[in-house]
Amino acid sequence: MPSATRPPNTAPTSASQPSSTSTLQTLRAWVRQAQIDNGDRPGNTTSDAERLAQLEKENKELRRANEILKSASAFFAAEPGRPSRQSSTFVSSHKDCFGVEPICRQLAQAGIKIAPSTDYARLNHTPSTREKRDRVLINYLIWLFEKNFYVYGARKLHAVINQHEHLDTHGQGSVARCTVERLMRIARIKGLVRRKNPNTTYSAPKDSCPLDLVDRKFTATRPNQLWVADITYVRTHAGWMYTAFVTDVYSRKIVGWKISDTLYAELAVDALTMAIAARRRAGQSVAELVHH
C-alpha cells in the first residue's frame, strides 16, 4: 500500500507547533517589556511592576495583621484567664482564617509570645486523667449552678456536689473546695454576692458636735423657721445613688436636694445651698432659720 504524502506548501502538524506559538508570544512579551523599560513604549516598567507587587503584598499583610489584632483584642477582652491559655485558645479558634504562624507573629509583636509548635503540640495532646475529671466536674458544676437559679457560690456548690446522691451521679469522688473554686473560674460562673448597705452617718467626736438648738423638738410655727436635713441612698443598675435633701418642718416640703453617685462631704452643703437660693429667689427671708 503506498504511503500517504503531505501536500505541498502545507505546514507540518507536529506536536511542537503549540510550543512554538507560545514561545513566539513569550518573545514578543519580552521585546515589548524591553521597549517599555527603555522608554520607547508607554507602560509600566519592570521595576514599577515589581514595586507594585511588593506594595500589594505588604498591604495584604497589613490588612491581615489588622484583622488579627482586632480579633485578638475582642477575644482577650471577653475571655479572662491566663495569657498562655488565652493565646492557645485564640490560635486554635482562628487558625483556619489567618493561619498559625501569622497569628503567632502578630501576638509576639503585641507582647504575647507563643510559638507555632505550641498549637501543633496541642493537636496531638492526649488529655490527662485530671483533665478528663475536670471536664466532667465542670459540666456538673454548671448544671448545679443553673439548677439553683445562678446564685450558689463556691461554698454551697462544694457542699452540694459532695452530697451522696451527687457523688453517685458524677462518679468522680469527693471534690475539694479549692477544686470547686478553680473549676468555677474556668467555667466563669460566680455566685450572687449580697452587697452591704453603705454607711451614710459618721459621728463626730462629742466635743466637736454642734449644739442641739431645738432640743429634739422638731416643730415650727411658720415657714423657714426650722429645716432638717438627711441623706439616703438607693441601689440602681449603675450602682448606689445618694440623695441629700432639706425639708421645711412647717410645711413638710423638700426645699433643697442634691443627687450624686458618690458620698462626699459637700453633698449636704450643696442641698442646703440650693434651698437657701430658692427661698431668696422667692423673696423669703432665712435670717432666723435654724438648720438641724
Side-chain angles (χ1 to χ4, degrees), residues 168-189:
D168 296 336
T169 303
H170 60 72
Q172 301 299 320
S174 60
V175 185
R177 169 73 177 268
C178 59
T179 302
V180 173
E181 295 174 351
R182 177 176 60 84
L183 297 180
M184 288 181 65
R185 287 193 297 268
I186 295 175
R188 296 195 299 275
I189 58 177

Side-chain angles (χ1 to χ4, degrees), residues 243-264:
T243 303
F245 53 90
V246 179
T247 305
D248 190 334
V249 174
Y250 178 78
S251 62
R252 297 292 191 266
K253 178 182 178 181
I254 297 178
V255 294
W257 66 88
K258 183 69 175 181
I259 300 176
S260 175
D261 57 351
T262 57
L263 184 61
Y264 56 94

